[in-house]
Amino acid sequence: AESLVGCKLIAVAKDGAPVRMQCDLESEMTESLQRGDVIEVLEARLLDGGIMRVRCEQGWTSTKARSGKRLLRRAGEKAILAAAMSAVHVDAKYEAKLGKAKVELQATSMGLLVYEKGSEVPTTHLYQALRSWATTDDGIEVTTTDGTVLELRCEDADAETVCEEMREKASELAA
């Protein structure tokens, strides 16, 4: 239990993880962590029956449900970065296609997030790692500093909005 203290865990259950006021499983529920939320473990206790309870800023939750279903797992760097970026501000998501894959685009204060359908962790393109972005006849073209070109096909209005949001947010970051 001690080894979990200070670790970052990510909520992985589709219906989230309940957060309670106390370590006791019957204490008042205060909220629910959503899938993709990242928490820092402040305290950990192993209850009789093998249930690991962890305390975070929001309260107490379990790493697994009583049924054995995993609710939380250790968060990798990408998940931590994505959570930090999305926690800054809730930005609109726009539908697009990358190749044949359906994706969602989100311009955040740190960069462009590209969510592949079914993935909880987006691919993050930080503004400092982008050479350029612009609207095209089919959507948006993003060029990274290493020369990789992402052709994101989407509606004209969405392409213009995403590029404008990226310009505004990159300018704020550079200021």
Side-chain angles (χ1 to χ4, degrees):
E2 307 301 308
S3 68
L4 280 176
V5 174
C7 287
K8 302 242 190 243
L9 301 179
I10 184 170
V12 293
K14 194 185 300 181
D15 32 346
V19 177
R20 299 186 180 278
M21 283 184 101
Q22 307 293 323
C23 183
D24 180 359
L25 292 167
E26 303 308 318
S27 71
E28 182 184 341
M29 191 172 137
T30 57
E31 65 180 283
S32 186
L33 297 173
Q34 301 302 308
R35 184 181 192 160
D37 285 351
V38 175
I39 61 164
E40 181 174 353
V41 178
L42 304 174
E43 186 179 346
R45 290 188 201 163
L46 187 59
L47 301 182
D48 294 338
I51 294 178
M52 177 60 69
R53 297 287 287 163
V54 294
R55 183 172 64 86
C56 59
E57 194 176 285
Q58 297 91 327
W60 286 88
T61 188
S62 300
T63 57
K64 286 186 180 177
R66 293 176 207 178
S67 65
K69 181 170 118 182
R70 175 148 311 276
L71 301 174
L72 302 168
R73 69 168 163 75
R74 286 184 190 258
E77 272 185 47
K78 275 181 139 182
I80 293 167
L81 178 63
M85 287 177 67
S86 64
V88 173
H89 185 269
V90 178
D91 297 294
K93 289 183 181 174
Y94 301 91
E95 292 186 7
K97 281 197 169 186
L98 179 58
K100 292 184 179 181
K102 285 185 178 181
V103 297
E104 286 184 318
L105 307 177
Q106 188 176 30
T108 69
S109 60
M110 299 295 289
L112 178 67
L113 304 185
V114 180
Y115 293 85
E116 291 184 35
K117 292 292 183 193
S119 174
E120 63 187 60
V121 180
T123 301
T124 304
H125 299 281
L126 298 175
Y127 294 123
Q128 63 259 36
L130 298 180
R131 182 177 297 152
S132 65
W133 57 87
T135 57
T136 65
D137 290 342
D138 295 329
I140 305 167
E141 183 175 280
V142 177
T143 306
T144 63
T145 52
D146 69 2
T148 304
V149 176
L150 300 173
E151 292 181 3
L152 300 155
R153 294 187 319 280
C154 61
E155 298 289 327
D156 288 350
D158 289 351
E160 287 175 22
T161 303
V162 170
C163 284
E164 182 58 32
E165 286 180 10
M166 288 175 69
R167 270 190 293 281
E168 287 174 11
K169 291 170 191 286
S171 296
E172 288 170 14
L173 191 61

